Amino acid sequence: MGFRGEGYLAHPGIRAGGDRDQPLVLEQLEVPPYSLHGDAKIVRGVAENVVKHAPDAVLIMVSNPLDEMTALAAKVTGFGAQRVMGQAGMLDTARFSHCVAERLRVPVSAVRTLTLGSHGDTMVPVASACTVDGRPLTDLLPAADIDALVQRTRDGGAEVIRLLKTGSAYYAPSAAAARMARAVAEDAREVLPVCAWVDGQYGISGVYLGVEAEIGAAGVVRVVERDLAESELTSLREAAEAVRAKQADVASL
């Protein structure tokens, strides 16, 4: 994806667009299942080229597995945590909103949802923050129905691939990454759900995780905490430990 002065870093499977003053969006053009070792090798190579050709860039990761590749890109580039983030929460929240709107037969614009945690099995839907026309989602659907919508959200990428038959999910990931890049380019200071470095928030430290963050020209301005139900906080901390282990696995790849 290019943002003014579009350019591409030549490397198999990933393209990156941007210049020194614009956000770079790294997108892996691969259909699951993923090869962790192969993906890490590709991301490492591209990250090294980012350092060489766009050393002042803000990096927005789209490559899967998202949480692990975001952590790896931060490690390889040596950029401060502020300048490296991933788009998972934006994508998962958009998919969750679509699922809720379809289930209740309302416009997507009437739905407000939020997902935190990992981009995967430990994604944390924040039911306490979900509303439809201002009404809590928990007042409109039983827990079992909400759980089913959450699972469909987790499986959203695979569902799109099954429908496409060839290729991968790219419309929603591209839209999510573009919105993040716009927030950087315009110094919007917009609070968005992204994969960001967590350092003490929610009692969690030292891991890239899906949280809400204020996004501006410098990248992640700050991680924004909100009040969570006890079960949501527990799930978020469990997600942090799950992705921490996975991120450690790719650190040496």
Side-chain angles (χ1 to χ4, degrees):
M1 300 178 77
F3 290 87
R4 193 170 54 188
E6 178 173 278
Y8 294 90
L9 297 180
H11 203 293
I14 296 184
R15 65 174 181 266
D19 59 29
R20 291 172 184 263
D21 300 319
Q22 295 294 321
L24 277 115
V25 182
L26 300 193
E27 181 174 1
Q28 188 164 336
L29 305 179
E30 181 179 343
V31 179
Y34 306 104
S35 165
L36 185 59
H37 188 275
D39 294 350
K41 182 179 179 180
I42 293 170
V43 168
R44 178 178 288 276
V46 174
E48 290 169 350
N49 273 312
V50 170
V51 174
K52 184 185 301 183
H53 298 290
D56 300 318
V58 170
L59 200 57
I60 299 171
M61 297 299 298
V62 182
S63 305
N64 279 316
L66 191 283
D67 305 291
E68 294 92 317
M69 294 301 111
T70 302
L72 179 61
K75 180 179 184 293
V76 173
T77 60
F79 292 173
Q82 184 180 36
R83 292 170 55 201
V84 182
M85 68 186 104
Q87 62 84 58
M90 288 288 296
L91 173 59
D92 292 334
T93 296
R95 285 176 172 164
F96 193 19
S97 294
H98 167 79
C99 291
V100 171
E102 185 178 68
R103 171 65 177 77
L104 293 175
R105 298 184 180 182
V106 298
V108 173
S109 59
V111 179
R112 296 289 181 271
T113 64
L114 176 64
T115 60
L116 304 177
S118 76
H119 183 53
D121 292 341
T122 53
M123 183 185 77
V124 180
V126 184
S128 63
C130 298
T131 62
V132 178
D133 282 327
R135 297 180 60 191
L137 181 61
T138 50
D139 288 353
L140 300 172
L141 290 173
D145 285 11
I146 295 175
D147 289 343
L149 294 175
V150 169
Q151 190 58 49
R152 187 184 176 196
T153 301
R154 289 193 180 111
D155 297 337
E159 180 179 344
V160 171
I161 290 169
R162 285 195 302 271
L163 293 170
L164 286 174
K165 300 189 184 302
T166 60
S168 183
Y170 50 86
Y171 288 115
S174 297
R179 185 174 172 189
M180 293 170 65
R182 186 177 300 112
V184 174
E186 298 177 354
D187 194 22
R189 299 298 183 98
E190 187 175 3
V191 176
L192 302 172
V194 302
C195 179
W197 183 253
V198 180
D199 189 20
Q201 296 85 2
Y202 298 113
I204 300 166
S205 293
V207 67
Y208 268 96
L209 185 67
V211 290
E212 291 176 283
E214 182 181 335
I215 307 301
V220 177
V221 178
R222 64 187 179 96
V223 171
V224 178
E225 289 185 84
R226 68 162 59 228
D227 291 333
L228 298 177
E230 190 62 34
S231 61
E232 295 166 346
L233 181 58
T234 297
S235 294
L236 186 61
R237 289 172 176 169
E238 290 173 351
E241 294 313 307
V243 298
R244 189 192 307 279
K246 293 177 182 178
Q247 289 170 20
D249 288 342
V250 303
S252 60
L253 295 180

